[in-house]
């Protein structure tokens, strides 16, 4: 029996991608958290800790995202995505140091858990293995970056993974292989963004997802970004009803816990809008212990909109202020990211049209810091020039 197992293992190794790839051995030290832009913008993960097998089917213009979870494990969750954020962070850091990288990762569980601010005990190690199982069993099909001769790419978040242990059972390390679709997008620096280390301390699924949306779209633009609630619901892939989803968004806005951003709930006619504005970024280190990787099916965390959800655990603490006019809707950068109603209003009024009308905010409107990196400031200057040129043409 032992001989048969060993023969099977050797056969698997011959078929493994690891035999054709040079290992990327993760070095010590902290890496600034990096996230992949496409994962921040579109629904690739379950937002619930309860096992999800219902597929995510998302389409906007020529972009399609389909995500399928297996019944044995369920779909990969937004907490499992911390593994991919850690991997992207390690790749970027190594390349900044002039080191060679690879899709074939070799690391210790301690390095990964510490990198995403989690405790490093045995329980967390078991939860990490469950996360890796979900990442491997989840199947993604998408047309994003499909290339000249491709219509759709299909892959899993992790092609294969293995733990390395001694004969006594002591785990000495782990290995996994990332899909080429993800690895290629991290190597392309234009598709990677830094994120606040405080992100790992966010506990709610919608809260974590909303931060990634804010970082991707609002960035450090002075006027931020505006979304209709219904459009946010479609982008999230959430199984919750729109009304329950909207309730969670309002409560997140009331609590103001997104690191680096302020949220304003506004109304335009019958449409409810969320304005995301940049604020001072957090400087709290990531190596403080945070809530552990969620156990799939945990009963202490309800579905979105349920009575025990993270967003509903505290009563809303609204701070209504005087009515004011809304700022200009930011609509030119990515039409897919804006609601159809906002886009149509923008097209009918011209590029410099303002989103006018009295609104009531759920939070104060104190001055916002717009500190940004040189790269982002340069990109923002280019956007501002484009907006001025469009404004001039519309006036002509």
């Amino acid at each position: 029996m032992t001989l048969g197992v060993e023969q099977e293992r050797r056969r698997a190794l011959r078929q493994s991608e690891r035999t054709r790839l040079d290992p990327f051995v993760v070095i010590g030290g902290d890496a600034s958290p990096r996230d992949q832009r496409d994962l921040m913008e579109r629904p690739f993960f379950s937002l619930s800790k309860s096992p999800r097998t219902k597929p995510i089917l998302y389409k906007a213009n020529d972009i399609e995202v389909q995500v399928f979870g297996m019944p044995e494990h369920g779909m990969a969750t937004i907490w499992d995505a911390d593994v991919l954020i850690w991997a992207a962070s390690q790749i970027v850091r190594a390349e900044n140091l002039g080191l060679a990288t690879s899709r074939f990762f070799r690391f210790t569980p301690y390095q990964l858990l510490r990198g995403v601010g989690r405790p490093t005990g045995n329980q967390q190690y078991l939860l990490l293995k469950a996360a890796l199982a979900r990442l491997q069993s989840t199947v993604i099909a998408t047309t994003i970056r499909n290339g000249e001769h491709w219509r759709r790419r299909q892959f899993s978040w992790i092609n294969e993974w293995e733990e390395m242990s001694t004969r006594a059972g002591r785990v000495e390390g782990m290995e996994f292989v990332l899909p080429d679709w993800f690895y290629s997008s991290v190597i392309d620096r234009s598709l990677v963004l830094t994120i606040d280390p405080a992100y790992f301390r966010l506990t709610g699924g919608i809260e974590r997802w909303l931060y990634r949306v804010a970082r991707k779209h609002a960035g450090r633009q002075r006027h931020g970004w505006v979304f209709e609630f219904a459009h946010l619901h479609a982008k999230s892939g959430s199984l919750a009803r729109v009304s329950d989803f909207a309730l969670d968004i309002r409560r997140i806005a009331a609590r103001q816990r997104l690191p680096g951003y302020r949220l304003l709930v506004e109304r335009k006619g019958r449409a409810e809008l969320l304005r995301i504005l940049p604020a001072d970024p957090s400087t709290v280190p990531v190596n403080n212990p945070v809530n552990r990787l969620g156990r799939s099916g945990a009963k202490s965390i309800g579905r979105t909109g349920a009575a025990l959800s993270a967003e509903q655990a505290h009563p809303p603490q609204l701070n209504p202020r005087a009515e004011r006019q809304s700022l200009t809707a930011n609509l030119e950068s990515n039409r897919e990211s804006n609601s159809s109603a906002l886009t149509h209003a923008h097209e009918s009024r011209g590029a410099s049209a303002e989103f006018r009308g009295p609104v009531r905010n759920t939070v104060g409107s104190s001055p916002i810091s717009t500190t940004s990196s040189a790269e982002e400031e340069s990109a923002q200057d280019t956007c501002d020039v484009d907006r001025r040129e469009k404004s001039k043409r519309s006036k002509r």
Side-chain angles (χ1 to χ4, degrees):
M1 182 67 177
T2 303
L3 180 60
V5 172
E6 182 63 23
Q7 288 175 342
E8 184 64 29
R9 182 177 182 277
R10 290 177 180 176
R11 186 181 301 110
L13 281 174
R14 286 196 297 270
Q15 299 171 349
S16 169
E17 284 188 283
R18 289 177 291 170
T19 61
R20 304 189 300 273
L21 296 169
D22 294 327
F24 168 39
V25 181
V26 174
I27 59 177
D30 295 330
S32 299
R34 259 75 171 199
D35 207 346
Q36 203 276 337
R37 287 175 179 262
D38 295 313
L39 274 58
M40 302 168 78
E41 180 178 358
R42 301 179 179 94
F44 280 102
F45 301 98
S46 169
L47 304 184
S48 171
K49 290 183 180 178
S50 299
R52 171 173 177 170
T53 56
K54 184 176 181 179
I56 294 175
L57 304 175
Y58 173 81
K59 184 173 182 180
N61 300 324
D62 60 341
I63 295 297
E64 294 183 20
V65 173
Q66 300 176 359
V67 186
F68 305 91
M70 299 298 104
E72 310 88 79
H73 303 287
M75 184 182 298
T77 71
I78 198 163
W79 294 273
D80 300 337
D82 287 359
V83 173
L84 301 178
I85 294 175
W86 175 81
S89 307
Q90 294 299 325
I91 292 172
V92 172
R93 178 171 183 262
E95 293 209 328
N96 286 342
L97 295 174
L99 303 176
T101 61
S102 166
R103 295 191 291 120
F104 176 16
F105 267 65
R106 183 172 289 167
F107 60 99
T108 66
Y110 175 85
Q111 288 174 313
L112 195 159
L113 292 171
R114 187 178 183 279
V116 296
R118 302 187 187 280
T120 55
N122 184 64
Q123 179 68 11
Q124 288 299 309
Y125 169 69
L126 296 176
L127 293 173
L128 172 59
K129 292 205 298 183
L132 293 175
R134 284 189 292 271
L135 289 166
Q136 184 184 19
S137 64
T138 298
V139 177
I140 302 95
T142 182
T143 58
I144 299 173
R145 301 194 316 278
N146 54 2
E148 183 180 356
H149 303 294
W150 291 89
R151 182 174 181 272
R152 181 178 284 105
R153 295 281 294 275
Q154 183 167 308
F155 54 90
S156 294
W157 292 123
I158 290 178
N159 291 356
E160 55 180 289
W161 68 277
E162 184 174 302
E163 62 179 2
M164 298 174 288
S165 59
T166 64
R167 292 184 180 275
R170 180 175 179 272
V171 176
E172 294 186 332
M174 301 187 81
E175 297 176 347
F176 62 57
V177 178
L178 296 171
D180 182 68
W181 185 90
F182 178 77
Y183 179 74
S184 299
S185 68
V186 175
I187 296 300
D188 183 351
R189 297 299 183 84
S190 67
L191 298 176
V192 178
L193 284 175
T194 58
I195 62 173
D196 196 310
Y199 164 80
F200 295 117
R201 291 193 292 276
L202 297 176
T203 57
I206 293 180
E207 197 172 35
R208 280 176 156 243
W209 169 81
L210 190 58
Y211 170 81
R212 299 173 88 185
V213 169
R215 180 66 185 94
K216 166 63 176 66
H217 294 292
R220 296 187 177 97
Q221 300 179 85
R222 185 165 59 91
H223 293 303
W225 206 269
V226 179
F227 285 103
E228 284 186 357
F229 274 37
H231 185 62
L232 280 174
H233 181 264
K235 284 176 68 67
S236 73
S238 173
L239 290 176
R241 297 178 302 175
V242 177
S243 58
D244 291 335
F245 178 86
L247 180 61
D248 278 338
I249 293 293
R250 293 187 207 106
R251 287 177 170 170
I252 293 171
R255 293 165 65 185
Q256 294 296 330
R257 291 191 179 179
L258 289 197
Y261 293 95
R262 291 172 62 83
L263 306 177
L264 305 177
V265 177
E266 307 175 348
R267 284 192 176 276
K268 177 63 177 179
R270 299 182 62 181
E272 195 166 15
L273 312 175
L274 181 70
R275 184 177 297 279
I276 305 170
L277 295 169
D280 292 328
S282 169
T283 57
V284 180
V286 69
N287 56 2
N288 292 337
V290 296
N291 288 344
R292 65 187 186 184
L293 283 166
R295 185 189 300 275
S296 182
K299 295 181 180 180
S300 61
I301 298 188
R303 292 183 177 274
T304 305
L308 295 179
S309 72
E311 283 70 42
Q312 295 181 0
H314 302 278
Q317 300 176 1
L318 303 184
N319 183 22
R321 300 293 178 92
E323 294 182 348
R324 64 172 180 82
Q325 286 195 336
S326 173
L327 301 174
T328 305
N330 201 339
L331 301 168
E332 286 137 13
S333 177
N334 186 348
R335 291 183 181 277
E336 177 198 337
S337 303
N338 295 287
S339 66
S340 57
L342 292 177
T343 304
H344 293 162
H346 171 70
E347 291 174 343
S348 63
R349 299 182 186 184
S352 61
E354 289 194 357
F355 213 11
R356 299 186 180 279
V359 298
R360 184 171 296 279
N361 302 328
T362 59
V363 296
S365 53
S366 57
I368 302 297
S369 170
T370 57
T371 304
S372 63
S373 66
E375 180 182 354
E376 288 177 315
E377 287 177 349
S378 176
Q380 183 60 39
D381 290 343
T382 302
C383 293
D384 291 339
V385 171
D386 291 341
R387 292 192 185 98
R388 287 195 293 270
E389 291 298 324
K390 291 180 180 179
S391 178
K392 290 178 182 178
R393 289 197 294 269
S394 64
K395 290 177 180 179
R396 292 172 186 172

